[in-house]
Amino acid sequence: MITVQSTVKAPIAKVWEIWTTPKHIQEWNNASPDWHTPYAENDLKAGGKFKSTMAARDGSMSFDFEGEYTLVKENEAIKYAMADGRKVEISFKETPNGVEVIESFDPETQNPENFQQQGWQAILDNFKSYVESN
């Protein structure tokens, strides 16, 4: 598994809401300014499905990121299986410095693991910036 993490300076309820609400997901779910998320849906419960479309702003490419939740513990943890079967685990933990968000995922085989880690970390960093500026 590959792990990325960040500490977000905000109350846990706000971190959870922004992580899980489609209108917010569309704002933070990108690794760089030349990408965006024009569509997101989220049925946040075990057995529920989620889907977001990540697209290049110039229209040159897009892809869907989707899966099914296997565990949802409000303000604590989310686990899901992506459409290709890879597993993801996310934990949310209050600390004196803010909410520690730790995300671990099974790597795919098309790209080097360090590239995947950088991409997921960039999205998590964008999440942190979005939460802390709203």
Side-chain angles (χ1 to χ4, degrees), residues 76-129:
E76 287 183 40
I78 295 172
K79 293 183 181 181
Y80 61 84
M82 288 185 260
D84 64 7
R86 293 182 295 134
K87 307 264 191 285
V88 179
E89 300 178 3
I90 308 145
S91 66
F92 302 84
K93 183 181 175 189
E94 285 188 284
T95 74
N97 298 322
V99 178
E100 187 178 69
V101 180
I102 301 173
E103 192 171 17
S104 298
F105 62 96
D106 291 335
E108 41 92 347
T109 56
Q110 286 86 11
N111 296 292
E113 289 190 14
N114 66 329
F115 180 77
Q116 295 175 61
Q117 183 171 22
Q118 290 167 3
W120 284 56
Q121 185 68 55
I123 293 170
L124 186 55
D125 292 346
N126 202 41
F127 170 77
K128 172 185 169 68
S129 296

Side-chain angles (χ1 to χ4, degrees), residues 1-64:
M1 283 199 130
I2 297 173
T3 299
V4 296
Q5 65 184 71
S6 186
T7 301
V8 182
K9 292 177 177 61
I12 187 104
K14 180 179 180 182
V15 171
W16 182 265
E17 178 188 355
I18 291 176
W19 186 272
T20 60
T21 306
K23 70 177 183 178
H24 289 300
I25 293 167
Q26 289 180 262
E27 297 299 321
W28 62 260
N29 188 36
N30 57 73
S32 64
D34 49 338
W35 283 80
H36 68 138
T37 301
Y39 176 82
E41 67 181 51
N42 195 20
D43 185 13
L44 187 65
K45 65 182 183 215
K49 295 185 187 309
F50 66 88
K51 179 178 177 177
S52 58
T53 300
M54 300 177 87
R57 289 192 185 272
D58 66 7
S60 62
M61 66 180 302
S62 70
F63 64 93
D64 288 335

